[in-house]
């Protein structure tokens, strides 16, 4: 049945039958909706979830697609394979990697881990050119970028070795290529020895699997009857090769639908090949094409300016190559507002003008709130002056998609404190510690310490040690207390205890402001970083790291250029500050594009330190200036984020000796540049204008809360204590380590892999199962090394008993760690079932592993978690549930129960009522005996003390 809300070309895409289809989807034309509606249509046509694969470029896009799909599906459903290319390949390799000798329990390593791996082995590779002794790590980042580009082009170690050996150019250049080939080979060897993969490996190994095992390729060609690719213009050569393997030219009764827009290809620096979309019609000669030109976002004047700009990329565009029109037509509400280019004298004037424009726009449009405004810049550094201005005027803001966790004041405080715990004579770190508010060191005392240390020519710590000031005596005691814990605690435990001991969170809990909430969440991110470091360190060495090793690791991460993303709070009323790259896929009623001058936008073309040879580049290069075309597309993306108001701003001087020239892109839009005199400045105290809903005087109000995906654990936590739920899921306050939780995760993961291999016909020995367990073990949250070893041994005994009991069983698994999602009213509920086994009757048994003590049967008979699993299995997975079981692994017993339809409905209705209470944003404490084991008892003002 046609969807009356879709336009004809959207409907044509949704209804497309078999074969290949290119959907040229301009900005704001509803491409994500079209993809989700098509998936819905396929499922309604009785295609199973496993028959459909939807691939995209980023986790963000995949998540949005899943959310949209949840919105359009009426009841619970099993999710199709909606993944990024990397996660898609990862899933296949975990299942099939054994076919080519790949350990399916490999670990995926991030860029910082790659950097550390190379650094650790830099002296084992006998390098010359790429290991200058004065700075041995100088080229590590450049080498990793080069290897990533090789992977983007699907160039194997063998391929690159062949190129280096056959190179006939300059002798020194040949030696350079040969040394790089040697590095590439050794790097791959290091990873294989440690059973590790980086993201580029995933695509390469998947292609290798499909090419070397035609039977496996055929299996997935037959499984995926319909493949959709979103953001096709952002794929690289290797990703497109993977698609072409899965979808040969003769598709038969299968379909391949790719959706993209060459005008929005902005990820060349990540290896994206815009030529993929430009050549699609040549690769699939029988393909059809649909253009989506009806824009539902921006007013026509914005679209016209953007179209005039992007025309300058001809003839290297789809429009020129295919002879089509890509001129967008606005279907948004007509507007009398025109986009404006504002030129000011100085950078300070530019900022002031934008602040005043924010005032004017919001006063004239009371329907808008802060979150409707975005300030976009070409680079993160260009946003810093706007942060200071927004703070000055007490306007709520948030840096979105912004890296720089280690640059945050709260993280710098904690790192400085850790440094002086290890080395008190680190004067720079000590000076920062003296400024931490919760330590109560006065400014006068700090100045006195500095002055005395200078006069006596000693370290600041020497002065502190001799001082009789009460505040410095207190500081010494606190630091000694932390030092005493150094040998007792693992790094993340010490960080947690340290934050608690100096009451560091207190100032962030006094008022519930956006800034305070972000600070708490950043501290939580840092704690998670420490936990991850410990896990990786243990996997490599089978030792527990010290706090010294953790600090050394952080120093190396900073040296490598790693600076993780800061925390973000979604669905809150703040002005959005972001780079244009981060704004991709978003839209705002009011957009400011700032600092649009010639050397900032477009940027200067900074080529990679080690450029990929042209002979190895498979994509078709443009006839025009590749860098300028990419920058122009980026400006096009920025323009088309705006719905109603668009301001492009620039200044003639940003503090240098020479005035800046306007960006050449401005003239290409054919918009008039308005010369603005210096704005009238008034030293405004407080806010510039009345606060909008959800935010008053910097405080967050109790507006309706966006819960995200609801789960049983969230509902259970809220029912136990709403304030504890808030601390955990809203504020994300760091929690102490939990050995019991980590133990359960290790056992669950071990059993998952054990049963997965058994389901593929591989009978594991006890020794093989033990090796899996060792690889899954998480040595965090235990009292000491003895406690860790005892807990590991108890897990080993538990698994041995499990293995002996079940090694000869032939169990038919319907699913392992099977995810489902259902609707609870208007909210999406997600869950994961450990095991689904097929029974002789044809129905199924749901099994959930438990590592704690068993409950009485009467408690299991009314357990809500099992009821949710039943609802999920029936509604989302279409299974008939006959039995529900908890498997208590420590005791080796399984206790089973059933649920009637009335019981299931009562569970659902109760949960819907609880979710409605959660959404109201009222998180009152509920004190009781449970406070005794609550993670937040030390900071909760209402905790029951017993």
């Amino acid at each position: 049945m046609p969807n009356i809300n879709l336009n004809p070309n959207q409907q044509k895409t949704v209804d497309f039958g078999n074969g290949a289809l290119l959907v040229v989807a301009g900005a704001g034309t509803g491409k994500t909706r079209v993809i989700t509606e098509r998936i819905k249509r396929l499922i309604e046509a009785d295609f199973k979830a496993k028959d459909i694969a939807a691939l995209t470029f980023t986790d963000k896009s995949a998540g949005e697609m899943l959310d949209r799909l949840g919105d359009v599906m009426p009841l619970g459903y099993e999710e199709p394979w909606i993944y990024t290319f990397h996660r898609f390949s990862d899933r296949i390799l975990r299942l099939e990697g054994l076919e080519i000798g790949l350990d399916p329990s490999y670990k995926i390593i991030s860029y910082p881990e790659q950097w550390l791996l190379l650094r650790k082995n830099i002296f084992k590779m006998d390098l010359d050119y790429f290991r200058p002794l004065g700075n041995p790590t100088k080229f590590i980042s450049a080498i990793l970028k080069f290897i990533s580009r090789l992977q983007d082009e699907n160039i194997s170690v063998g391929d690159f070795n062949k190129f280096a050996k056959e190179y006939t150019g300059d002798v020194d250049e040949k030696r350079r290529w040969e040394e790089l080939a040697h590095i590439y080979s050794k790097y791959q060897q290091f990873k294989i020895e440690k059973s590790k993969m980086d993201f580029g490996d995933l695509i390469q190994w998947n292609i290798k699997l499909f090419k070397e095992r035609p039977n496996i390729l055929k299996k997935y060609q037959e499984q995926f009857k319909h493949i959709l690719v979103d953001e096709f213009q952002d794929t690289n050569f290797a990703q497109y090769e993977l698609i072409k393997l899965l979808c040969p030219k003769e598709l038969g009764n299968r379909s391949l639908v790719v959706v993209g827009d060459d005008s929005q290809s902005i990820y060349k620096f990540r290896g994206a090949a815009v030529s993929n979309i430009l050549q699609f019609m040549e690769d699939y000669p029988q393909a059809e094409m649909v253009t989506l030109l009806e824009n539902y976002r921006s007013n026509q004047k914005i679209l016209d300016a953007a179209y005039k700009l992007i025309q300058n990329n001809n003839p290297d565009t789809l429009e020129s190559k295919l002879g089509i029109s890509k001129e967008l037509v606005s279907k948004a509400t007509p507007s009398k507002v025109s986009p404006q280019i504002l030129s000011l004298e100085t950078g300070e004037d530019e900022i002031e003008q934008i602040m005043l424009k924010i005032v004017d726009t919001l006063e004239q449009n009371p329907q808008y709130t802060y979150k409707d405004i975005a300030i976009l810049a070409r680079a993160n550094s260009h946003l810093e002056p706007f942060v200071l201005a927004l703070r000055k005027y007490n306007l709520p803001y948030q840096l979105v998609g912004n890296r720089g966790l280690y640059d945050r004041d709260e993280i710098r405080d904690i790192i400085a404190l850790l440094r002086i715990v290890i080395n008190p004579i680190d004067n720079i770190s000590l000076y920062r510690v003296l400024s931490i508010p919760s330590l109560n060191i006065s400014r006068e005392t700090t100045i006195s310490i500095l002055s005395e240390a200078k006069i006596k020519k000693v370290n600041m710590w020497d002065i502190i040690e001799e001082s009789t000031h009460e505040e410095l005596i207190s500081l010494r005691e606190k630091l000694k207390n932390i030092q005493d814990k150094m040998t007792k605690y693992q790094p993340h435990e010490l960080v947690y205890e340290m934050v608690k001991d100096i009451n560091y969170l207190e100032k962030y809990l006094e008022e519930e402001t956006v800034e305070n909430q972000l600070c708490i969440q950043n501290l939580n991110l840092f704690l998670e970083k420490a936990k991850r470091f410990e896990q990786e360190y243990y996997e490599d060495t089978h030792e527990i790291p010290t706090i010294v090793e953790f600090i050394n690791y952080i120093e190396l991460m900073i040296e490598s250029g790693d600076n993780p993303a800061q925390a973000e709070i979604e669905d809150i009323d703040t002005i959005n500050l972001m780079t244009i790259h981060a704004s991709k896929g978003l839209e705002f009623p009011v957009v400011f594009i700032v600092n649009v001058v010639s050397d900032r936008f477009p940027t200067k073309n900074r080529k990679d330190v080690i450029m990929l040879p042209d002979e190895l580049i498979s994509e078709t290069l443009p006839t025009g200036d590749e860098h300028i075309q990419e920058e122009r597309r980026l400006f096009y993306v920025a323009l088309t984020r705006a719905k109603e108001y668009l301001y492009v701003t620039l200044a003639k001087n940003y503090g240098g000796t020479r005035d800046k020239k306007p960006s050449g892109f401005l003239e290409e839009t054919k918009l008039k540049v308005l010369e603005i005199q210096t704005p009238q400045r008034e030293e405004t105290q407080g806010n510039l204008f009345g606060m909008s809903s959800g935010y008053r005087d910097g405080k967050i109000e109790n507006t309706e809360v966006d819960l995200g995906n609801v789960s049983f654990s969230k509902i259970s936590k809220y029912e136990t204590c709403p304030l504890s739920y808030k601390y955990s899921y809203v504020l994300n306050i760091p929690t102490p380590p939990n050995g019991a939780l980590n133990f359960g995760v290790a056992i669950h993961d071990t059993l998952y892999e054990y049963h997965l291999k058994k389901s593929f016909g591989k009978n594991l020995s006890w020794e093989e199962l033990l090796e899996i367990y060792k690889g899954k073990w998480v040595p965090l949250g235990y009292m000491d090394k003895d406690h860790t070893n005892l807990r590991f041994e108890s897990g080993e005994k538990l698994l041995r008993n499990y293995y002996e009991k079940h090694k000869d069983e032939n169990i038919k698994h319907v699913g392992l760690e099977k995810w489902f999602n259902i609707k609870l009213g208007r909210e999406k509920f997600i869950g994961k079932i450990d095991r689904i086994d097929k029974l002789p009757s044809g129905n199924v048994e749901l099994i959930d592993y438990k590592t704690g003590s068993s409950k009485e049967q009467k408690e299991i008979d009314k357990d809500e978690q099992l009821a949710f699993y039943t609802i999920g299995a029936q509604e989302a997975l279409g299974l008939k549930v006959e039995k529900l079981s908890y498997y208590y692994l420590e005791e080796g017993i399984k206790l089973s129960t059933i649920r009637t339809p009335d019981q299931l409905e009562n569970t659902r209705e109760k949960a819907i009522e609880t979710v409605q209470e959660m959404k109201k944003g009222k998180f009152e404490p509920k004190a009781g005996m449970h406070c005794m084991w609550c993670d937040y008892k030390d900071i909760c003002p209402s905790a029951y003390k017993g």
Side-chain angles (χ1 to χ4, degrees):
M1 178 184 294
N3 187 324
I4 59 173
N5 295 318
L6 296 176
N7 66 47
N9 279 359
Q10 289 176 330
Q11 191 70 54
K12 183 177 179 181
T13 304
V14 170
D15 295 338
F16 181 72
N18 299 323
L21 176 69
L22 170 63
V23 183
V24 183
T29 58
K31 67 178 179 60
T32 304
R33 184 185 176 204
V34 165
I35 292 171
T36 53
E37 288 285 351
R38 176 167 173 78
I39 294 172
K40 178 186 176 185
R41 178 62 50 83
L42 292 170
I43 291 174
E44 289 173 344
D46 291 333
F47 286 100
K48 293 182 174 61
K50 70 178 183 65
D51 298 337
I52 305 165
L55 305 178
T56 189
F57 186 59
T58 64
D59 286 321
K60 178 181 173 182
S61 297
E64 181 183 1
M65 212 181 293
L66 282 169
D67 289 341
R68 296 277 190 94
L69 188 59
D71 293 338
V72 299
M73 297 298 286
L75 293 172
Y77 61 96
E78 184 178 2
E79 291 176 351
W81 286 47
I82 299 179
Y83 295 121
T84 62
F85 279 87
H86 295 115
R87 292 188 184 277
F88 174 82
S89 291
D90 178 49
R91 181 169 177 181
I92 290 176
L93 291 174
R94 301 280 185 192
L95 294 171
E96 314 285 359
L98 284 169
E99 292 282 341
I100 51 173
L102 191 65
D103 176 7
S105 61
Y106 61 79
K107 180 190 172 191
I108 301 173
I109 57 175
S110 62
Y111 168 76
E113 294 167 290
Q114 294 173 253
W115 194 92
L116 283 175
L117 181 64
L118 265 187
R119 185 189 184 280
K120 183 178 179 181
N121 293 284
I122 195 76
F123 292 104
K124 296 178 183 178
M125 292 191 283
D126 191 27
L127 303 181
D128 179 20
Y129 184 90
F130 291 104
R131 196 205 64 194
L133 292 179
N135 184 7
T137 64
K138 176 180 179 181
F139 289 107
I140 290 180
S141 295
I143 288 168
L144 287 173
K145 178 68 181 294
F146 179 74
I147 290 173
S148 176
R149 286 292 294 119
L150 290 172
Q151 293 169 327
D152 292 340
E153 298 289 333
N154 192 32
I155 297 167
S156 68
V157 168
D159 295 334
F160 190 52
N161 270 325
K162 182 181 178 183
F163 165 80
K165 288 178 181 178
E166 295 178 354
Y167 185 79
T168 57
D170 182 78
V171 174
D172 289 337
E173 189 72 358
K174 180 177 177 66
R175 286 179 54 218
R176 184 169 176 265
W177 292 133
E178 287 176 340
E179 185 162 295
L180 281 168
H182 172 67
I183 294 171
Y184 188 19
S185 177
K186 296 293 286 186
Y187 173 63
Q188 295 299 90
Q189 181 184 327
F190 296 146
K191 287 184 291 182
I192 290 170
E193 287 173 354
K194 294 288 187 179
S195 194
K196 294 180 177 180
M197 280 198 190
D198 58 38
F199 287 104
D201 288 326
L202 295 172
I203 308 296
Q204 278 195 307
W205 277 94
N206 198 349
I207 292 173
K208 178 181 174 68
L209 170 70
F210 283 166
K211 286 185 174 180
E212 294 185 4
R213 297 290 184 270
N215 59 316
I216 300 294
L217 174 59
K218 184 179 179 183
K219 171 184 172 181
Y220 284 98
Q221 286 176 337
E222 291 175 351
Q223 174 180 330
F224 297 123
K225 297 176 176 60
H226 300 281
I227 293 181
L228 301 95
V229 183
D230 190 18
E231 305 288 3
F232 185 60
Q233 77 280 350
D234 292 331
T235 55
N236 61 40
F237 178 80
Q239 289 164 340
Y240 190 25
E241 281 294 292
L242 183 62
I243 290 297
K244 287 190 282 191
L245 283 170
L246 285 167
C247 301
K249 290 182 181 180
E250 301 300 326
L251 285 162
N253 61 350
R254 301 162 61 237
S255 76
L256 168 63
V257 175
V258 301
V259 184
D261 179 13
D262 62 306
S263 298
Q264 297 184 76
S265 180
I266 59 172
Y267 291 111
K268 179 66 181 176
F269 67 97
R270 293 182 186 169
V274 68
S275 64
N276 288 351
I277 193 169
L278 298 177
Q279 292 183 191
F280 183 81
M281 299 301 286
E282 295 178 25
D283 294 332
Y284 291 89
Q286 305 302 316
E288 297 182 36
M289 181 175 61
V290 169
T291 55
L292 303 182
L293 301 177
E294 295 184 4
N295 176 287
Y296 298 92
R297 175 190 300 160
S298 308
N299 71 52
Q300 191 63 54
K301 293 174 184 177
I302 293 172
L303 298 179
D304 290 345
Y307 184 67
K308 289 169 184 172
L309 168 88
I310 206 64
Q311 286 283 291
N312 291 277
N313 271 2
N314 289 335
D316 299 308
T317 63
L318 277 177
E319 197 167 33
S320 290
K321 288 182 176 293
L322 301 180
I324 60 174
S325 172
K326 286 183 56 193
E327 188 168 3
L328 299 178
V329 178
S330 176
K331 294 296 180 181
T333 303
S335 172
K336 296 180 181 178
V337 179
S338 297
Q340 294 183 5
I341 301 177
L342 308 178
S343 175
L344 293 107
E345 289 298 318
T346 67
E348 291 81 5
D349 290 342
E350 180 184 7
I351 293 169
E352 195 78 10
Q353 181 67 32
I354 289 172
M355 296 299 111
L356 296 174
K357 280 292 181 184
I358 290 174
V359 175
D360 293 342
T361 306
L362 288 173
E363 284 183 344
Q364 294 166 16
N365 299 272
Q367 74 275 21
Y368 293 160
T369 60
Y370 297 128
K371 66 176 179 290
D372 294 318
I373 300 170
I375 298 175
L376 309 183
R378 177 62 183 85
N380 277 319
S381 58
H382 301 166
L383 292 169
E384 292 170 5
F386 294 92
V387 169
L388 298 176
L390 291 165
R391 284 179 180 171
K392 170 186 173 183
Y393 290 116
N394 195 24
L395 295 176
Y397 71 90
Q398 197 172 178
L399 287 161
V400 180
N402 193 44
R403 300 179 68 78
L405 179 67
Y406 299 144
D407 298 327
R408 292 283 304 191
D409 284 342
E410 60 274 14
I411 304 304
R412 285 181 170 179
D413 285 349
I414 300 306
I415 291 175
L417 197 49
L418 288 171
R419 283 171 175 158
I420 68 158
V421 165
I422 297 167
N423 177 23
I425 63 172
D426 179 347
N427 283 334
I428 295 175
S429 296
L430 182 55
Y431 178 75
R432 183 171 192 93
V433 167
L434 293 173
S435 303
I436 294 176
S438 64
L439 292 175
N440 300 313
I441 310 296
S442 69
R443 181 67 178 162
E444 292 74 20
T445 299
T446 301
I447 292 172
S448 173
I449 294 169
L450 285 168
S451 176
E452 193 172 347
K454 186 175 182 180
I455 292 171
K456 294 182 177 180
K457 296 181 180 179
V458 295
N459 290 304
M460 292 168 61
W461 182 251
D462 296 331
I463 306 301
I464 293 172
E465 277 198 310
E466 297 170 359
S467 176
T468 56
H469 281 253
E470 284 189 18
E471 54 194 315
L472 295 182
I473 293 172
S474 175
L475 173 65
R476 293 200 302 265
E477 290 174 351
K478 288 176 180 177
L479 292 178
K480 185 179 186 306
N481 182 42
I482 297 169
Q483 287 172 329
D484 289 343
K485 294 178 178 179
M486 281 176 58
T487 57
K488 302 174 184 176
Y489 290 104
Q490 296 174 35
H492 80 281
E493 294 172 316
L494 185 66
V495 171
Y496 177 83
E497 290 294 322
M498 187 174 69
V499 168
K500 188 175 71 171
D501 287 351
I502 68 169
N503 296 319
Y504 192 80
L505 287 179
E506 186 176 23
K507 67 176 180 178
Y508 301 125
L509 294 172
E510 289 174 354
E511 286 188 305
E512 194 174 328
T513 66
V514 175
E515 186 65 22
N516 283 350
Q517 190 168 333
L518 285 169
C519 289
I520 291 171
Q521 294 198 18
N522 282 322
L523 288 167
N524 195 45
L525 288 174
F526 187 72
L527 194 67
E528 291 301 318
K529 192 83 175 172
K531 290 177 183 178
R532 180 166 179 174
F533 160 74
E534 291 167 42
Q535 177 65 20
E536 290 163 358
Y537 188 94
Y538 182 82
E539 288 172 358
D540 285 342
T541 66
H542 294 289
E543 296 288 336
I544 306 297
T546 65
I547 192 64
V548 175
E549 285 155 338
F550 175 61
I551 281 295
N552 287 340
Y553 166 79
I554 292 297
E555 303 285 6
L556 288 171
M557 289 300 90
I558 294 171
E559 181 187 345
S560 77
D562 175 56
N563 205 348
Q566 302 174 29
E568 294 177 22
I569 308 175
E570 296 183 358
D571 298 305
I572 195 166
D573 197 18
T574 56
I575 295 168
N576 302 277
L577 277 73
M578 64 184 75
T579 64
I580 299 168
H581 280 100
S583 75
K584 177 78 182 299
L586 303 177
E587 58 183 45
F588 305 93
V590 185
V591 169
F592 295 89
I593 309 172
V594 302
N595 293 188
V596 188
V597 291
S598 59
D599 60 346
R600 294 193 177 191
F601 203 171
T603 59
K604 294 177 181 177
N605 187 8
R606 295 182 177 88
K607 295 185 178 181
D608 293 338
V609 176
I610 309 171
M611 293 293 295
L612 199 66
D614 288 346
E615 302 95 308
L616 297 179
I617 297 175
S618 300
E619 70 167 299
T620 305
L621 299 176
T623 58
D625 186 314
E626 186 178 19
H627 173 69
I628 294 298
Q629 288 187 2
E630 175 98 352
E631 291 287 298
R632 187 177 287 117
R633 290 192 293 266
L634 189 59
F635 193 50
Y636 177 89
V637 166
L639 295 173
T640 53
R641 298 311 93 197
K643 298 172 70 174
E644 181 84 0
Y645 290 86
L646 172 63
Y647 300 103
V648 182
T649 67
L650 66 150
K652 294 176 183 176
N653 189 282
Y654 289 94
T657 56
R658 294 182 180 179
D659 282 354
K660 301 290 185 182
K661 294 181 180 179
S663 167
F665 294 155
L666 299 180
E667 185 179 350
E668 292 176 356
T669 66
K670 306 304 180 186
L671 294 172
K672 183 180 178 182
V673 178
L674 302 177
E675 299 283 346
I676 305 295
Q677 298 301 314
T678 302
Q680 183 67 39
R681 296 191 179 154
E682 297 179 6
E683 290 299 325
T684 308
Q685 299 297 319
N687 299 329
L688 286 174
F689 50 89
M691 290 294 172
S692 56
S693 63
Y695 194 94
R696 298 290 187 278
D697 299 321
K699 299 178 185 178
I700 303 171
E701 289 193 331
N702 286 330
T703 53
E704 185 173 283
V705 176
D706 180 8
L707 303 176
N709 291 330
V710 181
S711 64
F712 172 75
S713 59
K714 284 186 176 181
I715 291 175
S716 178
K717 170 82 82 170
Y718 185 85
E719 289 175 339
T720 301
C721 176
L723 183 58
S724 178
Y725 171 89
K726 178 182 179 179
Y727 285 153
S728 181
Y729 292 106
V730 179
L731 297 180
N732 285 324
I733 293 178
T735 57
N738 190 324
L741 177 62
N742 290 330
F743 177 77
V745 169
I747 297 296
H748 275 69
D749 289 350
T750 300
L751 290 178
Y752 166 74
E753 191 162 325
Y754 170 68
H755 280 282
L756 180 65
K757 289 181 176 179
K758 278 181 69 79
S759 67
F760 278 82
K762 181 172 175 56
N763 290 317
L764 275 70
S765 66
W766 160 244
E767 290 73 21
E768 288 174 311
L769 177 58
L770 182 58
E771 283 303 308
I772 294 173
Y773 174 49
K774 289 177 179 177
K776 304 297 182 184
W777 178 248
V778 182
L780 307 180
Y782 301 102
M783 293 171 58
D784 51 33
K785 192 170 183 178
D786 290 338
H787 186 203
T788 304
N789 291 336
L790 285 171
R791 199 59 174 133
F792 178 87
E793 290 168 6
S794 72
E796 183 178 349
K797 180 180 177 182
L798 172 160
L799 289 169
R800 184 64 191 248
N801 292 337
Y802 184 92
Y803 176 80
E804 294 298 335
K805 188 173 183 177
H806 299 289
K807 64 180 179 180
D808 296 323
E809 289 182 346
N810 184 19
I811 304 170
K812 173 67 175 176
H813 300 305
V814 176
L816 294 169
E817 293 197 3
K818 193 73 172 178
W819 286 95
F820 66 84
N821 67 71
I822 57 176
K823 291 288 184 64
L824 281 182
R826 290 164 50 191
E827 303 305 314
K828 184 178 178 181
F829 179 99
I830 64 169
K832 183 174 69 173
I833 305 170
D834 289 341
R835 230 173 82 190
I836 306 174
D837 291 353
K838 193 168 187 177
L839 299 174
S841 63
N843 300 332
V844 299
E845 176 184 9
L846 309 184
I847 299 174
D848 190 67
Y849 298 127
K850 295 294 182 185
T851 51
S853 301
S854 61
K855 296 180 180 179
E856 294 184 12
Q857 184 67 47
K858 63 182 181 181
E859 293 182 81
I860 293 172
D861 288 339
K862 58 183 181 181
D863 186 275
E864 290 185 343
Q865 185 175 5
L866 291 175
F868 279 120
Y869 286 176
T870 306
I871 295 169
Q874 292 180 168
E875 292 186 4
L877 307 179
L879 301 172
K880 190 169 183 181
V881 180
E882 184 176 315
K883 188 190 295 186
L884 308 168
S885 301
Y886 277 143
Y887 197 126
Y888 292 95
L889 297 162
E890 299 254 22
E891 300 166 58
I893 61 173
K894 186 171 72 171
L895 300 177
S896 302
T897 185
I898 58 172
R899 291 291 180 275
T900 67
D902 286 345
Q903 288 174 321
L904 295 177
E905 188 56 33
N906 289 338
T907 298
R908 181 196 291 276
E909 289 177 0
K910 180 186 173 186
I912 290 173
E913 291 176 6
T914 302
V915 167
Q916 292 308 308
E917 288 300 307
M918 294 162 71
K919 286 177 68 66
K920 291 178 183 177
K922 295 182 179 179
F923 303 109
E924 301 299 325
K926 188 188 290 184
M929 287 299 295
H930 54 265
C931 295
M932 304 298 289
W933 55 84
C934 176
D935 290 333
Y936 306 106
K937 60 181 180 292
D938 292 330
I939 61 171
C940 176
S942 305
Y944 174 72
K945 304 301 181 184

